[in-house]
Amino acid sequence: MALRLPLRLQPQIAIQSLWCHAPPSFLAPVLASSHLQFSTTGSFARNILQLKKRKKQHRDPYTLRQVEARRDANLSRQAVLKEQWAKDLGDPIRGILTPFVESFDTEVPQEASQDPSAVSLETVKASGDTPPPSPAYASEESLLDHGIKHEELARSLDFSRYLTEPLPPPSSTIADPDQEAQTLERWEKRDAIATEAVQRIVSLTNGSSKHRTKKNIERIIETFGRHNTDQILKPKGPSVVKLNPLFPPQEPTPRAGPDTGSSEVQIGILTAKIRVLADRYEGRNRNDKVNKRNLRLLLHRRQKLLAYMERRERGSERWQKMIDTLGLTPACWKGEIAVR
């Protein structure tokens, strides 16, 4: 591999080679020629700067101040436009907080009225001494943990109450009313403690993040699945397709089961998972490289699905409902998404 020399050294090497291989009588007119007088880039740049400096010195000071004022005004305007553009795009990770997205944390329905004496999940996270939420949450949640339904829970509690209720005395003549009242009072306390314990166990607010994510995915499928939305939302506008009379269009294959593979369902599932990872990545876990990489992968996957759905749906009702419900902003699918 040949060594390439800088341009400013090539004339000197050429002169040395001519001096070694040619007689002095041949080199005399060559050395006197003006073609060997080269100027380097550094000296040329310095000459340009000196010329600009001299030209600036002879300019009117009032004109110079006008130029500087216009430049400062342009820079400030660019900063304002950049800030406004970033504000219009929104947050590429979280977007806009909506009631549907906010309910991912507790699974409490949006229209349910909370008990004032109940303890919220944020209070439990902030203070380790605070007890878990009260059983009022279990009675107001739309979904319970471990796949239990409200009817099954109520039926089980009634049956356990029936089994543990103290039996009446065989004869009323030998019964002690005070003792019966004390026994009934102790049973009421034990039954209330057992009922509260069962409601705390099945409450999704006290469940793990994995169980809440599973229930959130079920809610997303029921909310955005096309097996439900096809009956409510209008389809997108028909595209121009040239029909071939020899090959008539085929009927679409009927759907078997709930819709889990459409773009809006996958975007909703990714949004729920992104919220969990974003909450875990904040604060003192900023150096968690594994969660940072997983969060970046989910964001880019959602960005591709959003760009694809925007191109296919062309602003249909399905697209608008998904954007409004999940609180997604243009920054979620436009431009570069960086996780810092």
Side-chain angles (χ1 to χ4, degrees):
M1 179 175 167
L3 181 62
R4 186 162 183 171
L5 298 173
L7 294 176
R8 60 186 181 84
L9 297 180
Q10 291 180 4
Q12 300 178 5
I13 300 301
I15 293 174
Q16 292 179 4
S17 61
L18 288 175
W19 184 270
C20 297
H21 299 88
S25 59
F26 172 76
L27 289 177
V30 176
L31 292 175
S33 176
S34 62
H35 295 286
L36 296 178
Q37 297 178 1
F38 296 94
S39 62
T40 60
T41 306
S43 61
F44 179 75
R46 284 194 296 270
N47 294 335
I48 294 297
L49 291 177
Q50 290 177 0
L51 291 175
K52 288 184 177 180
K53 188 176 180 180
R54 293 174 185 173
K55 186 177 180 180
K56 191 175 181 180
Q57 288 177 354
H58 295 287
R59 190 178 296 181
D60 186 11
Y62 178 74
T63 306
L64 291 177
R65 286 195 296 269
Q66 284 185 333
V67 171
E68 294 176 358
R70 285 196 298 268
R71 183 188 61 210
D72 296 340
N74 290 334
L75 292 178
S76 62
R77 180 59 179 168
Q78 289 178 8
V80 171
L81 291 177
K82 187 176 181 180
E83 183 180 358
Q84 184 180 0
W85 181 65
K87 184 178 179 180
D88 294 339
L89 284 180
D91 188 6
I93 299 177
R94 295 183 178 274
I96 302 173
L97 185 61
T98 59
F100 184 79
V101 176
E102 192 176 4
S103 65
F104 285 166
D105 298 336
T106 58
E107 279 293 339
V108 178
Q110 305 167 15
E111 63 277 2
S113 58
Q114 297 298 328
D115 185 5
S117 61
V119 182
S120 63
L121 185 63
E122 289 74 12
T123 308
V124 176
K125 291 181 180 180
S127 176
D129 301 332
T130 306
S134 66
Y137 276 85
S139 60
E140 293 178 356
E141 289 179 358
S142 59
L143 297 174
L144 299 178
D145 203 358
H146 309 293
I148 300 175
K149 299 180 180 180
H150 287 279
E151 297 79 8
E152 298 175 352
L153 178 61
R155 189 165 55 250
S156 300
L157 291 177
D158 292 340
F159 185 67
S160 65
R161 183 180 178 88
Y162 168 74
L163 292 178
T164 58
E165 186 177 3
L167 298 175
S171 176
S172 60
T173 57
I174 61 175
D176 187 3
D178 296 336
Q179 186 177 2
E180 288 183 5
Q182 293 177 2
T183 304
L184 186 63
E185 184 179 359
R186 288 196 299 269
W187 171 75
E188 290 287 351
K189 291 182 179 178
R190 289 197 301 267
D191 183 73
I193 293 174
T195 302
E196 182 177 356
V198 171
Q199 288 182 344
R200 289 180 186 273
I201 291 172
V202 301
S203 175
L204 197 60
T205 307
N206 299 330
S208 63
S209 176
K210 183 178 180 181
H211 289 183
R212 285 199 298 270
T213 303
K214 182 178 179 181
K215 293 298 180 181
N216 289 331
I217 290 175
E218 294 178 0
R219 291 176 57 211
I220 290 169
I221 293 175
E222 291 298 323
T223 305
F224 299 105
R226 301 199 176 186
H227 61 285
N228 293 329
T229 57
D230 284 344
Q231 304 172 5
I232 303 173
L233 303 178
K234 296 180 180 179
K236 67 176 183 179
S239 58
V240 179
V241 179
K242 295 183 178 179
L243 299 179
N244 191 348
L246 300 179
F247 300 97
Q250 299 180 355
E251 293 294 332
T253 305
R255 192 182 304 278
D259 175 27
T260 58
S262 60
S263 300
E264 55 269 26
V265 174
Q266 294 298 318
I267 290 170
I269 294 174
L270 289 174
T271 302
K273 294 181 178 180
I274 285 170
R275 182 172 177 82
V276 174
L277 284 180
D279 293 340
R280 192 175 301 172
Y281 180 66
E282 288 180 351
R284 57 185 179 181
N285 297 325
R286 300 292 292 181
N287 294 327
D288 192 352
K289 305 300 181 183
V290 177
N291 280 334
K292 182 178 180 180
R293 181 179 180 275
N294 294 336
L295 178 61
R296 188 186 298 115
L297 290 176
L298 294 181
L299 287 171
H300 291 167
R301 193 181 305 170
R302 186 180 68 175
Q303 183 184 25
K304 292 180 181 178
L305 287 173
L306 283 169
Y308 166 77
M309 190 174 178
E310 184 190 26
R311 187 171 61 252
R312 290 294 301 271
E313 292 297 330
R314 300 193 299 272
S316 62
E317 289 187 5
R318 193 184 308 278
W319 166 264
Q320 195 62 36
K321 178 190 176 184
M322 182 193 66
I323 293 298
D324 296 340
T325 306
L326 297 177
L328 300 177
T329 58
C332 297
W333 70 87
K334 292 182 179 179
E336 181 182 0
I337 300 178
V339 181
R340 297 181 175 85

